[in-house]
Amino acid sequence: MAELPDEIRAFVAEKGDDGVDRGLRTLAAGDLGDGDVVVRVDCSSVNYKDALATIPKGQVARISPLVPGVDLAGTVVEGPGEGSGVLVHGYDLGVAHHGGYAQYARVPAEWVVPLPEGMSAKQAMAIGTAGFTAALAIARLERHGVRPGDGPVLVTGATGGVGSTAVSILAARGHEVVASTGKDARAYRESLGAAEVIGREDVASDGKPLGKQRWAAAVDSVGGAVLAGLFPQIRYGGAVAATGLTAGVKVETTVMPFILRSVALLGIDSVQTPMEERAEIWRRLADDLRPPQLDDTIAREISLEEIEPALDAILQGGLTGRTVVRIAS
Ligand SMILES: NC(=O)c1ccc[n+]([C@@H]2O[C@H](COP(=O)([O-])OP(=O)(O)OC[C@H]3O[C@@H](n4cnc5c(N)ncnc54)[C@H](OP(=O)(O)O)[C@@H]3O)[C@@H](O)[C@H]2O)c1
């Protein structure tokens, strides 16, 4: 069993009368919360939900003070699997239990996923919660019957974490990917393998219950009116995997695409994904679902000190790709 240092560096968010106080603090080992496994954290990442966990109206943080960070990868230093590489994401991590933005995390053993063979901690966090969600969405779409060659697959919010990874994985699997983005990032999208890059306005609905059948399937990371507008544009028997809400939570639709075109809406949740499927998706992320650009294009690396501006940027829709937080130096 490793001796933990007296002072553990962490990025902490604490609710106060005037909002949420965010910054670097030192914690004691006893502050880490409950659990049977202590992980020395190598890397965490920046997800949209992390930003929501640090703002007053985010409705994500359920404890205060909180170490945010909904995912982490590192080495077990105490508990079952001591010495092995692991990753943790979802459940209460970074929302109701201290998360990845600290040198150490103590977590329940049931949350722990072995780091897949051939994947480093940094690569795991370049994928992170967002990339796992993209992979889960693609696995579910393919299980629904969507195959390469069926026609164009649309990815919305395509420069975001979920969107980038979805474009990369889909393209590598031979799907014809159309990337929709609000940013001027054509070169970036194309470098991930998108066949075509279109603007957000190009996927907007014309308001009709049934429209031109443009997409064999879609991975949507933005929700709201964008998601609602996709159903009438999906080809007969196709499906939309809904993963996110950056454009809003309200989805107004008619039943027509569902009952006249057999369109399916697949809900994707990464937080409570059962462990068997979770571990299988991670195994596949090191294998046939591996994003080819994992080591260069998709992710940039920042330090604990640089988290705050990154959280602000992701809330504004201003981050491109994935951001890995390097915790261990
Ligand atoms: N279901 C799950 O388990 C799960 C897991 C992870 C994430 N999520 C959710 O998935 C979403 C994406 O997460 P992320 O970490 O990938 O965030 P992200 O990196 O910020 O990506 C979101 C992207 O959405 C687009 N966008 C932002 N604001 C928009 C608006 N008002 N209207 C239309 N598009 C907008 C932007 O892409 P463009 O500029 O390219 O258009 C942005 O980059 C979030 O809502 C997050 O909470 C859910």
Side-chain angles (χ1 to χ4, degrees), residues 3 7 10 18-20 50-52 85 87-88 93 103 107 134 154 176-177 194-195 199 267 295 298 312:
E3 189 77 9
E7 295 192 337
D18 303 324
V20 178
D50 297 316
L52 292 179
L87 63 91
V88 185
L93 195 74
Q103 289 174 304
V107 295
L154 178 72
E176 178 191 345
V177 186
D295 289 317
I298 285 184
D312 290 338

Side-chain angles (χ1 to χ4, degrees), residues 246-271:
T246 50
V249 292
K250 198 163 178 188
V251 179
E252 286 186 45
T253 182
T254 75
V255 298
M256 296 311 210
F258 308 110
I259 64 171
L260 294 183
R261 288 188 182 159
S262 265
V263 169
L265 171 59
L266 309 178
I268 305 300
D269 168 57
S270 67
V271 176

Side-chain angles (χ1 to χ4, degrees), residues 46-50 52 60 70 128-134 136 155-165 179-185 189 198-200 220-223 226 242-248 267-273 313-322:
V46 177
N47 294 276
Y48 190 78
K49 194 172 178 182
D50 297 316
L52 292 179
V60 162
V70 296
T129 299
F132 171 85
T133 304
L136 185 59
V155 177
T156 61
T159 68
V162 173
S164 299
T165 324
S180 142
T181 177
K183 297 192 191 79
D184 182 12
R189 294 297 81 231
I198 60 175
R200 270 184 209 168
D220 174 62
S221 67
V222 306
V226 177
T243 71
L245 46 68
T246 50
I268 305 300
D269 168 57
S270 67
V271 176
Q272 300 291 341
T273 312
I314 201 167
L315 268 187
Q316 307 302 321
L319 282 192
T320 296
R322 296 274 305 138

Side-chain angles (χ1 to χ4, degrees), residues 152-219:
V153 177
L154 178 72
V155 177
T156 61
T159 68
V162 173
S164 299
T165 324
V167 171
S168 173
I169 298 172
L170 282 164
R173 293 178 72 71
H175 292 277
E176 178 191 345
V177 186
V178 177
S180 142
T181 177
K183 297 192 191 79
D184 182 12
R186 188 167 299 271
Y188 175 71
R189 294 297 81 231
E190 284 170 355
S191 70
L192 295 183
E196 192 184 348
V197 181
I198 60 175
R200 270 184 209 168
E201 62 287 353
D202 297 325
V203 295
S205 160
D206 62 6
K208 294 190 183 132
L210 293 172
K212 186 167 173 238
Q213 300 185 44
R214 296 172 78 188
W215 318 116
V219 176

Side-chain angles (χ1 to χ4, degrees), residues 61-83:
R62 305 211 304 276
I63 57 170
S64 177
L66 168 73
V67 176
V70 296
D71 47 30
L72 61 86
T75 305
V76 175
V77 293
E78 197 181 303
E82 196 171 319

